[in-house]
Amino acid sequence: MKTGLFARTAALLLIAGIATAAPSSRTTLPEPLDLKSALQFALENNFAIRQARERIRQQEGVLIEVRAQEIPQLTSSAGYSRNDEDISSSFPADTKSWSIALQVVQTVYAGGGVAASIKSAKLTREAAMLELQGVINDQLLVVRSSFYTVLVNRQKIAVQEENVKLLEEQLKTARNRYEAGASSSFDVLRAEVALANGRPPLIQARNDYRISLEVLRQAIGLSMTESDTKALEVVGSLDVGQRDDMQLIDAISSARANRPELQRVAKLAEASEQRVKTARSGYQPKVQLFGSYDWVKGSPSAAWRDRKDGWTAGVQSQWAIFDGRGTAGRVAQARSQFLQSKLSLEEITLAVDVEVRRAYSSMQEAWELVESTGKVVSQADEALRLANVRYGAGTATQLDVLTSQVALTEARLNQLTSFYGYNVALATLRNAIGKADSFVGN
């Protein structure tokens, strides 16, 4: 328990530090860009994260405003007037008057409304900090997924380029065999068609890579200027390590304990409960202490030395004995909002449970795909080699070779897709159970 409490406290302190350290302008983008650098850049420049920081500052302002109710209020007033002698009520005519006053008012009792309002504002600010933590987790997941998409699309280009290269070799072999009289023109035509069909996937792969770079640029918050024409240089790999052996029950327990969204709604529910107390304070009297010091005109000469001055102090109270049931209406609204917030917490808890189960199932599927594609590439590569040998020896047809080539390309693409899917599924599960990105805190 103590370890969990310490971890959550440290996380909130980290979030608070991030919130107060928002950059005024974008930082320099590292070149080349690895995953850690992309996450760091997004943490400082992602627009959703920066907006969440500003919402914390907004709530800090609300807290300052609410706290003002428990601090003595000092006001000053001054006035000067001059009128026509014909309307003066004094004799001789006094046509000038002035006054200066300072007044201090301190609320000493408000039915608990001030204390409840302050506590509600504090809880709302804590909810804003938890919202920032959730936004950071979500946005860093987007960045990580976008980064993986760039890597897989770049590797797909390599696979398609290798496929086109092998098809070109197949066409060259078919032409040589045709010129030597060992095959017909049909084999050449079929090789030409296979090569032509192999180029569109390469073109598409290159376009997918370019688009994924722009998606990554948007995710990390890198705004483009007219001079920013250079493409991102991304480095990294989609290696798959050991399988994550987390159990489903542990994943659900972790999500309920650590998801910022759940903690945020719980804080808002507590804040709503305090607003009920604030509304109820309308049934109670409001008592204030006040004191003032006044300087007023003492004679028609209006000179400062002829002033009259002195102090006034006292107690004042206001009590709405009957306000047309306005307070009752405000209490009913506050109670309803409190109950709605509790229902919202139950709803989000259920949604989080379902999200964890889906993420856990997706990770299982992704790992099974990784295992199923593990040996296929080497088998398909060996099958193509044997098909070429048999084709050269005349014991296999060109169709056998082309079929083996298609199978090898498909196996390589399936393996890339499985590696990408597992990395994304693992990151999604970590986010679903409320764990910060592994980069945060490193």
Side-chain angles (χ1 to χ4, degrees):
M1 293 296 292
K2 291 183 177 179
T3 302
L5 177 61
F6 175 79
R8 287 193 293 271
T9 303
L12 285 176
L13 289 175
L14 173 63
I15 297 301
I18 293 171
T20 57
S24 57
S25 59
R26 90 179 193 190
T27 56
T28 302
L29 185 70
E31 293 184 8
L33 185 67
D34 59 10
L35 178 58
K36 184 175 181 178
S37 299
L39 294 170
Q40 175 66 61
F41 189 89
L43 195 60
E44 300 174 355
N45 296 275
N46 177 275
F47 288 101
I49 295 175
R50 291 165 65 182
Q51 290 171 14
R53 290 194 189 106
E54 289 303 323
R55 286 192 287 274
I56 292 180
R57 294 190 179 91
Q58 177 184 354
Q59 290 305 319
E60 289 174 345
V62 171
L63 180 57
I64 293 173
E65 178 185 2
V66 173
R67 274 179 171 167
Q69 300 178 66
E70 65 177 359
I71 301 174
Q73 306 293 306
L74 175 63
T75 60
S76 65
S77 60
Y80 172 80
S81 65
R82 184 173 181 177
N83 55 273
D84 191 277
E85 293 181 0
D86 293 339
I87 63 172
S88 176
S89 60
S90 61
F91 184 83
D94 187 2
T95 60
K96 300 177 182 178
S97 65
W98 56 262
S99 65
I100 301 174
L102 289 177
Q103 184 179 44
V104 178
V105 177
Q106 171 66 59
T107 300
V108 294
Y109 180 74
V114 174
S117 296
I118 293 174
K119 189 171 182 180
S120 176
K122 289 180 178 179
L123 290 168
T124 304
R125 182 186 181 278
E126 292 176 10
M129 294 178 65
L130 289 166
E131 180 194 16
L132 172 60
Q133 184 179 345
V135 170
I136 288 176
N137 290 349
D138 291 342
Q139 292 303 312
L140 292 190
L141 173 61
V142 172
V143 172
R144 183 177 283 270
S145 300
S146 300
F147 194 91
Y148 290 153
T149 302
V150 171
L151 296 182
V152 72
N153 286 339
R154 184 174 62 190
Q155 290 183 325
K156 284 181 178 180
I157 292 177
V159 170
Q160 295 297 345
E161 287 177 341
E162 180 66 19
N163 181 51
V164 169
K165 180 180 178 181
L166 290 175
L167 290 173
E168 288 174 344
E169 291 177 357
Q170 291 294 330
L171 176 59
K172 182 178 179 180
T173 300
R175 285 174 175 170
N176 290 337
R177 288 175 61 85
Y178 173 71
E179 292 173 357
S183 64
S184 66
S185 60
F186 177 72
D187 288 345
V188 176
L189 179 61
R190 185 157 52 186
E192 290 176 342
V193 171
L195 177 59
N197 288 334
R199 289 196 172 105
L202 174 58
I203 295 172
Q204 183 178 358
R206 288 170 176 167
N207 183 57
D208 290 343
Y209 176 65
R210 290 192 298 267
I211 292 175
S212 62
L213 286 175
E214 297 307 315
V215 172
L216 176 61
R217 183 194 297 273
Q218 180 182 7
I220 64 177
L222 178 60
S223 300
M224 291 185 61
T225 63
E226 293 182 359
S227 60
D228 291 334
T229 57
K230 184 178 179 181
L232 295 177
E233 183 180 354
V234 177
V235 294
S237 63
L238 285 172
D239 296 334
V240 173
Q242 296 293 328
R243 176 183 178 179
D244 192 300
D245 58 355
M246 177 181 294
Q247 300 300 311
L248 177 59
I249 187 65
D250 296 329
I252 294 176
S253 298
S254 177
R256 292 186 176 182
N258 299 309
R259 277 292 288 267
E261 294 87 346
L262 294 178
Q263 299 174 25
R264 171 179 173 270
V265 176
K267 292 290 183 183
L268 291 177
E270 292 182 51
S272 296
E273 187 176 13
Q274 294 300 316
R275 284 193 284 272
V276 175
K277 296 180 181 179
T278 302
R280 282 178 177 169
S281 67
Y283 291 122
Q284 304 297 322
K286 184 176 183 181
V287 181
Q288 295 177 319
L289 299 177
F290 70 91
S292 65
Y293 202 91
D294 299 87
W295 294 266
V296 297
K297 174 184 176 182
S299 70
S301 63
W304 176 255
R305 64 179 177 273
D306 297 321
R307 72 189 184 279
K308 291 181 180 181
D309 58 274
W311 56 268
T312 304
V315 179
Q316 60 186 17
S317 175
Q318 292 179 335
W319 193 354
I321 298 175
F322 181 72
D323 61 356
R325 293 186 54 80
T327 299
R330 288 188 288 272
V331 171
Q333 294 176 57
R335 282 177 177 170
S336 177
Q337 290 173 352
F338 173 52
L339 292 176
Q340 290 179 53
S341 63
K342 291 179 66 176
L343 291 171
S344 179
L345 178 58
E346 294 180 11
E347 180 185 19
I348 293 177
T349 301
L350 176 59
V352 166
D353 288 351
V354 174
E355 182 181 347
V356 171
R357 292 177 183 274
R358 293 179 63 180
Y360 189 85
S361 179
S362 296
M363 190 194 69
Q364 286 183 315
E365 177 192 21
W367 181 255
E368 292 172 0
L369 289 173
V370 168
E371 289 183 323
S372 67
T373 59
K375 297 181 180 180
V376 175
V377 173
S378 59
Q379 292 173 341
D381 188 63
E382 177 63 14
L384 177 61
R385 187 189 69 81
L386 293 176
N388 281 320
V389 171
R390 293 178 62 199
Y391 181 60
T395 58
T397 65
Q398 184 192 43
L399 180 60
D400 295 331
V401 176
L402 294 176
T403 301
S404 299
Q405 174 60 42
V406 170
L408 176 59
T409 301
E410 184 178 359
R412 288 174 174 172
L413 292 176
N414 287 340
Q415 187 178 54
L416 283 177
T417 301
S418 68
F419 286 177
Y420 167 79
Y422 180 74
N423 279 283
V424 171
L426 182 59
T428 302
L429 178 61
R430 288 180 59 89
N431 184 66
I433 65 177
K435 285 189 176 181
D437 194 282
S438 57
F439 152 75
V440 177
N442 290 346

